[in-house]
Amino acid sequence: MPLPRRGRGSRLAGSRVAGTSLPRARARSPRRAGRGTQLLSHAQRLTRRRHSSEQVTPEPEQQADFRSGKWLQERAGGDARDSRQALLAGMGSRHRFFSQEEVVIPCASDNDSGSVDLQLSNLDDIKKGESSIEFTDLDIPDIPGLPLESLTDSFRHLAYEGPLSEASVQRLIQSIQEVIGGHPLKGELEKLTFLQSLSSLSQNIPYDETTDTFILSHIEDIVHILNDLVQEEPLRSLFSPVRQEVFVTIANLSYHNVHLLFGSEDRADLFQLIIRSMITLPPLKTLTQLQEITPSGPYDTECLYRQTFQAFSEMLQILVVKDPHLENLDTIFQHLDSWLQSPKNHERKRATASMAQVLKCLSKHLCLKPPLRFQRLGHLVAVMALLCGDPLQVVAEEAAEGTHYLLHITLRMKYVTHDKKNHQNLRKALKRCRDFLELYNIKRFYRYPFKIAQVFEVFLNSDELCQFIMTTLDGLKNLRHPYTQQAAGELLMTLVKNAESRFEKVPEIMGIICARLSIISQPRVRQQVISTVSLFISRPKYTDIVLSHLLCHPIPYDRYLTELWRTLEAELPSTTWILWRLLRKLQKCHMVPTQEKMAYVAVAATCALYEVFMGNRLRAAMLRLFPQLLMTLLIQIHHSIGLTMSDVNIPSGLYSEQEVSTEVTPLCFAIQATKSLLLRTLCWQEFHIMEKNKGWTLLEEKDLHLQGISLLANALLERNQLLAHKVMYLLVPFLNRGNDKHKLTSAGFFVELLQSPVARRLPNKYSTARLKDWLNHEDQAFRILALRGLCNLIRHQEMREDIKSLLPCILDSLYETDEKIVLLAIQILLKLVRTMDFTTLAAMMRTLFSLFGDESRRVLTICAHFLKWKLPQEVYCRDPLYIRPTEAGKICRFFGIKCRGKINILAQTLMYSKNTKLPIRRAAVLFVGLLSKYMDQNELSIKGTDWIQNDLREMLHDSEPSLRIIVSQALFRVQKAMAEPEPEPSVCWLRKFMGCLPT
C-alpha cells in the first residue's frame, strides 16, 4: 500500500534532500503493493492525518548553495522581522510523508543572504540589542562542483490555526495519563497514538495554562516513556515510523520551550540515545536489501529512512532556533562530536549533514546575547575543517557548507564578545580575514582545510587555538585515510605559522604531539607534525617551553622522539637560537655548585644535543656555536665521570612504565655528543688524534681528564687554528663562570691555546695576571695549569718581560711537594735564566740546591743538568734506599761535596719524614742521618741540631719497627756530627762561587 502523499500545496522552493548523495525517495506504488491491498490501517490513517496540513509557499529567493554548480550573485534584501514570527510563518505544516518525486529537508531562512559580509564601515552602525549583526559588502562565493541545491525559507510549519477545545485537551490529557500511569504501549498503533496525542497537546501550550502545567509536571515521566520507545526500536533495521514520530514530538515540544533533552541527566541520556539510534542505523543500501529479504510492513524503507532522517535534522534545528547563549549548540556538538569523527562512512556522513543543517539554521536565526556559553569554537572549527578534507565527497561537501555558516556565526560571536573599548582589534581581524579571502580562489576555498585555518585563525583566541590544535592532533589516531591525515598535518602547520605567538597552552600541545607520534602511520604526516614542533620551537616565546617539555622524557629517547630531534628544521637565525637555548639548559646545570645528584635535565639535554648533531639539520648553527658546544660538552664529561643513572636526580613518575637502563650512563651520552660534534663540524683529524692517542679514555678518567683536555686542545690548535682561536676568545669570559669543575676544564683547555701567537694579543689581565692568580690557588690542579700556561706563554718573546714579574711566585713553586709543579717551574726558569739579575739568580740557585733532597729522580736529573753536574749512578737505583745503605751513603757524599747550605736540605728532607707513606718516611730519615756527617760546622753552630733531634725523637714512637731502627741510627749520626765534625773536603770553583753568595 502506498504511503500517503504530501499535500498539494506548493513544494518548498530550493528545499534540501536529506541524504545529499542518495537518490530521491519514492514510496512503493500501488502496483508494487498489489491490487488486493486493503484500505489504510488505523495507524497509517493517523499518520496521514498527522501530516496532512497545507504547506506555506515561501518567498522565492536566490541563495548561496555550497552544492550548486554556480553561485547566484543576487543577494536577498531580507527584513528584520521578529524571529518568532518568522518561525511561526515557516512551521505551520504538519506534513511529514513525501511524494514519490522527492523528499526535502527544509532549513532556516536565508533572509540575511548566504554570504558572509565584512563591510567594516557597517560595524559602527550596528545597534545594541538587534537580533542580528548585518555585515554587508564582501561575499564569499561557493565551492564549485557541488550539486545544484538552494536553501529553503523556513522550517516546516509547526504553528496551528488556533487552540484546541477544552474537551479535546481533556481527552488528550486523559490518554497520556493512562500511559504515564503504567498502561503499556502495545504495538505500533498505540505508540503512534500516544506520540500524536503528546504533539497535539503541545500546540495548546501557548493558550492554556493547564496544558503547560500538565506537561511540565510530567516531563520526567514523558522522558522515561520516550526513552523506552526509542530503546524498543531495532538498531539494525527501520520498519516503523515510531522513531520518526519521537523526533517530531520532541521538536514540537521544544518549539514551545518544553525541552525534553536538556536540564537533567535522564534528558541527556535520552538525547544521547536518540542520536545513537539515528546515526548508527545501517547504510540505506543495507536497509533496502534487508527489506527485500524480509519484507515487513507497508512502508517503503528508502522513503521512511529519508523522512526519519529529515525529522531528526529538524528536531536538532529547532533546538538552536531560540538559543541566544548557544547552550543548546554546545550540547548538540557534544553529542555529535564522536560521530563526526567516526571511522564508518555512513555514520560520519549523517553526523556531518546534521551538524551542517544545525549551523545553517543557527546562522539564519542568530540572536546572540552575552554571556555566550559555547566555549568549544576552536574544537568545532577543527572538526569541520578536517571533514572538508574527507575522502568521501558528500561528507566534504556537507562540511564545506557547514563551515561557511560557521564562519558567519563566528563573525557574529566575535562582535558580541569583543571588547567594546578596543573596537579597532575587531576591525583589524575582519580586514585580515577579508585579505585572506581575496587572496585565494574563493570558489575552491572550502576544499582546502589549511585555507580555512588561515581565515578562522584571525578570530580564534588563545584557548580556541589550543582547542583547534589538540582536536586535530587527537583526531590523527582515528584517521585512516592518507589524504585526511595530510590535511590534519597541513592544518597544524598553517595554524601555528599564522597564529605566531598567541598560544598559551603550549606544554599541553607538546604533550599530545609527543603522545601521538608513535601512532601516526603516515611518515609524511608525522613529518608535518614534527614541522609543527619546529614552528613552535623557532618562536622565541615558546622555545624554552618546548625544550623543557621535550627534555622531560625517558632517555635514551625512543625512536619517535629521536626522529623529532633529528629532523627539527628552521631558518638560520632560528636554528642558532634553538641550539643556543638547548645549550643553555645544559650550561645552567654547570653554574651551580656540584650537587649530590646530577640534574636530570643535564643528561637529557646532552642526549638531545647528540640527536641534533646526528640529524645534522642545524649544521650551520653547530659551526657558529662550536666553541660553546665543545667546551660545554667537555665540562659535562668532567661532571659525569664515575656517575651512573642512579646518581641522576630523575623526576618522579618519569620511568613509571619502564626501568632506568643500566647500560647507559651520563658519561656515555657526553662522550657520544662530543664525538658527533667533531665529526659533524668536519674535525676529522682532531677526532683521529683523539682515537690514536686514547684521548677519549683519558677524558673518562678522573685523574687523567686534564690530559685528555690537553690532547684535544693541542689537536685543535694544530689542525684547525681558526676554531681554536674562536674557542680561546670564548674562554676569556668563560673562565670566570660556573663551578670548580667548569673552571678547571676551561682552564685546562685555555692554557694549551696560549701556545698560539694570537695569545700575544690578549690583555695582561686575561693572560699573565690570571695565571698569577692560579699560582696562588688553593687547588693544586690550578697551580699546575698556571705553570703550564706560563710554559706556553714564554715561547713568545714579547711575553717574557711580563712573566719575569712572576719569578717570586715561580720560585715558590719549587718548594711544592708535587713533582709536576717543580718540573714545570724549572722549565720556566731555564727559559729565563739568561735574563735574571744577580740577586734573582742567587735566590734561584739556593732553591735549586735545596731540591737535591727531593726523592724525585726527574727533579734531580733536571737540576743536575741545569748545574752541569754528573750525578752518581746510585741516584738511579730502583731499589728503596733503606735496603741499599751503601748506595745511599754515596749519594749523600756526592751532595756533601757539591752543595752548600746542607742544613736547608735537611730541613726539606724532614718534611718528607712526616709523609703518610712508610717507604717515603724511611728514605727521608735515612737521608737525614747519612747527610748529617757532611754538615758544615758553621751551619751547625748557627742553627744547631736540636730541632732535627726533636723531630727524630718523635718518630722513635712510630708503630713500624724498621722505621724506629732507622730513626735511632739517624739520631746517633746527627748527635755525632755535632760533637765530632768531619774534616772539610776540598772545594771546587763552583763551591767557592756559592760561598760568596749571601745567605
Side-chain angles (χ1 to χ4, degrees), residues 126-408:
I126 299 172
K127 297 180 180 179
K128 295 182 179 179
E130 287 186 342
S131 61
S132 66
I133 301 172
E134 195 69 31
F135 298 105
T136 61
D137 203 30
L138 181 62
D139 295 334
I140 298 179
D142 71 326
I143 302 174
L146 299 173
L148 180 62
E149 194 80 31
S150 62
L151 306 176
T152 62
D153 179 60
S154 61
F155 288 97
R156 261 172 301 174
H157 306 295
L158 298 178
Y160 301 91
E161 295 181 357
L164 300 175
S165 65
E166 184 176 349
S168 298
V169 170
Q170 291 301 321
R171 284 195 302 271
L172 292 173
I173 290 177
Q174 184 178 358
S175 65
I176 294 172
Q177 278 183 326
E178 290 179 359
V179 178
I180 293 175
H183 177 74
L185 295 174
K186 299 178 180 179
E188 179 182 308
L189 173 60
E190 292 189 7
K191 293 177 181 179
L192 292 174
T193 301
F194 169 76
L195 294 170
Q196 167 65 28
S197 300
L198 197 56
S199 292
S200 299
L201 188 62
S202 67
Q203 71 172 306
N204 216 48
I205 291 177
Y207 310 105
D208 183 15
E209 185 176 347
T210 303
T211 302
D212 187 31
T213 304
F214 171 77
I215 292 179
L216 291 178
S217 62
H218 293 87
I219 193 168
E220 298 302 330
D221 297 321
I222 295 172
V223 168
H224 180 72
I225 294 171
L226 294 181
N227 194 301
D228 292 341
L229 291 177
V230 176
Q231 287 186 357
E232 290 171 3
E233 292 297 301
L235 293 176
R236 309 307 300 172
S237 60
L238 183 64
F239 299 126
S240 164
V242 171
R243 185 187 275 107
Q244 171 191 342
E245 287 300 324
V246 171
F247 301 155
V248 172
T249 301
I250 294 175
N252 285 330
L253 288 169
S254 297
Y255 175 72
H256 294 292
N257 296 323
V258 178
H259 296 295
L260 303 180
L261 305 179
F262 309 118
S264 69
E265 186 175 349
D266 290 339
R267 300 182 200 184
D269 291 341
L270 174 61
F271 200 178
Q272 183 177 3
L273 177 63
I274 285 174
I275 291 179
R276 186 172 67 248
S277 70
M278 185 68 242
I279 300 296
T280 59
L281 280 174
L284 179 58
K285 183 178 180 180
T286 304
L287 292 174
T288 305
Q289 292 174 348
L290 183 62
Q291 184 187 37
E292 294 175 356
I293 297 173
T294 57
S296 56
Y299 305 108
D300 178 74
T301 298
E302 181 177 347
C303 187
L304 180 60
Y305 165 77
R306 294 181 180 278
Q307 294 159 5
T308 303
F309 185 77
Q310 174 186 343
F312 173 75
S313 180
E314 287 187 358
M315 177 196 72
L316 295 179
Q317 294 176 56
I318 289 293
L319 298 177
V320 298
V321 168
K322 294 178 286 186
D323 188 16
H325 304 294
L326 300 183
E327 292 177 283
N328 296 351
L329 175 63
D330 187 77
T331 304
I332 292 172
F333 179 49
Q334 180 180 352
H335 288 293
L336 283 177
D337 188 10
S338 59
W339 304 111
L340 289 169
Q341 303 177 67
S342 172
K344 297 180 180 180
N345 289 343
H346 67 282
E347 293 179 352
R348 197 169 64 255
K349 171 184 168 184
R350 290 170 188 155
T352 305
S354 301
M355 196 69 214
Q357 284 301 297
V358 167
L359 293 172
K360 181 178 181 181
C361 174
L362 180 62
S363 174
K364 305 313 171 185
H365 295 277
L366 206 57
C367 181
L368 299 180
K369 296 178 183 179
L372 299 183
R373 295 188 173 88
F374 183 63
Q375 304 298 328
R376 308 176 71 198
L377 179 60
H379 182 36
L380 178 56
V381 173
V383 171
M384 298 303 291
L386 286 173
L387 289 171
C388 286
D390 197 278
L392 196 63
Q393 182 179 0
V394 64
V395 173
E397 291 171 351
E398 294 285 359
E401 185 169 353
T403 305
H404 167 81
Y405 292 106
L406 179 57
L407 179 57
H408 196 186

Side-chain angles (χ1 to χ4, degrees), residues 195 217 481 586 592 755 867 870 988:
L195 294 170
S217 62
H481 304 286
L586 180 55
V592 296
Q755 302 173 62
L867 297 172
K870 183 178 180 181
C988 66

Side-chain angles (χ1 to χ4, degrees), residues 23-173:
R24 292 173 180 171
R26 295 178 180 273
R28 282 188 283 179
S29 66
R31 291 182 181 179
R32 288 184 63 187
R35 292 181 179 273
T37 305
Q38 297 180 356
L39 296 176
L40 293 175
S41 66
H42 178 68
Q44 289 174 291
R45 289 196 298 273
L46 178 63
T47 305
R48 185 169 187 175
R49 288 198 306 272
R50 169 74 178 80
H51 304 290
S52 61
S53 60
E54 186 179 5
Q55 277 189 306
V56 176
T57 305
E59 299 176 3
E61 195 173 294
Q62 293 176 331
Q63 296 301 332
D65 193 330
F66 279 75
R67 295 175 297 166
S68 62
K70 64 179 181 178
W71 186 273
L72 300 178
Q73 300 296 332
E74 191 173 326
R75 291 202 318 239
D79 60 284
R81 60 187 174 179
D82 182 77
S83 60
R84 179 175 178 83
Q85 293 177 351
L87 289 173
L88 291 174
M91 298 182 180
S93 175
R94 300 280 299 279
H95 191 78
R96 187 63 59 182
F97 289 82
F98 300 91
S99 66
Q100 297 180 17
E101 286 78 12
E102 66 176 1
V103 181
V104 296
I105 294 184
C107 300
S109 172
D110 278 352
N111 290 338
D112 55 352
S113 172
S115 64
V116 178
D117 210 328
L118 304 176
Q119 176 79 18
L120 302 180
S121 60
N122 287 347
L123 286 176
D124 294 331
D125 300 331
I126 299 172
K127 297 180 180 179
K128 295 182 179 179
E130 287 186 342
S131 61
S132 66
I133 301 172
E134 195 69 31
F135 298 105
T136 61
D137 203 30
L138 181 62
D139 295 334
I140 298 179
D142 71 326
I143 302 174
L146 299 173
L148 180 62
E149 194 80 31
S150 62
L151 306 176
T152 62
D153 179 60
S154 61
F155 288 97
R156 261 172 301 174
H157 306 295
L158 298 178
Y160 301 91
E161 295 181 357
L164 300 175
S165 65
E166 184 176 349
S168 298
V169 170
Q170 291 301 321
R171 284 195 302 271
L172 292 173
I173 290 177

Side-chain angles (χ1 to χ4, degrees), residues 391-455:
L392 196 63
Q393 182 179 0
V394 64
V395 173
E397 291 171 351
E398 294 285 359
E401 185 169 353
T403 305
H404 167 81
Y405 292 106
L406 179 57
L407 179 57
H408 196 186
I409 295 167
T410 301
L411 291 175
R412 297 187 177 197
M413 286 177 61
K414 295 304 176 181
Y415 179 79
V416 171
T417 59
H418 86 283
D419 185 3
K420 302 299 188 293
K421 296 180 181 180
N422 199 1
H423 198 68
Q424 194 63 27
N425 282 351
L426 181 61
R427 286 180 173 272
K428 291 179 180 178
L430 290 172
K431 185 179 184 303
R432 187 177 173 195
C433 176
R434 184 174 62 188
D435 292 342
F436 273 126
L437 295 175
E438 290 176 347
L439 182 64
Y440 300 120
N441 182 347
I442 301 300
K443 293 184 178 181
R444 299 172 63 84
F445 176 75
Y446 288 102
R447 287 271 179 92
Y448 296 92
F450 73 93
K451 295 180 180 179
I452 297 174
Q454 284 183 321
V455 172

Side-chain angles (χ1 to χ4, degrees), residues 130 160 217 279 452 557 598 603 723 740 834 864 871 896 918:
E130 287 186 342
Y160 301 91
S217 62
I279 300 296
I452 297 174
Y557 298 115
M598 176 177 287
V603 188
L723 287 180
D740 290 341
R834 296 184 181 274
L871 294 175
L918 178 61

Side-chain angles (χ1 to χ4, degrees), residues 768-780 782-788 790 803 806-813 816 821 825 828:
T768 54
R770 176 169 281 161
L771 296 178
K772 180 180 179 181
D773 293 337
W774 291 350
L775 283 173
N776 299 316
H777 200 283
E778 59 182 8
D779 190 339
Q780 179 176 288
F782 275 99
R783 298 198 295 272
I784 294 175
L785 292 176
L787 292 170
R788 177 67 181 168
L790 291 173
I803 296 176
L806 303 181
L807 275 175
C809 297
I810 298 173
L811 290 173
D812 289 342
S813 299
E816 293 275 357
I821 295 178
I828 298 170

Side-chain angles (χ1 to χ4, degrees), residues 950-969:
N950 291 336
D951 286 348
L952 293 175
R953 288 192 180 96
E954 289 180 3
M955 287 186 283
L956 287 173
H957 305 287
D958 195 278
S959 59
E960 175 58 36
S962 62
L963 180 61
R964 292 200 300 269
I965 294 173
I966 297 174
V967 169
S968 62
Q969 293 173 349

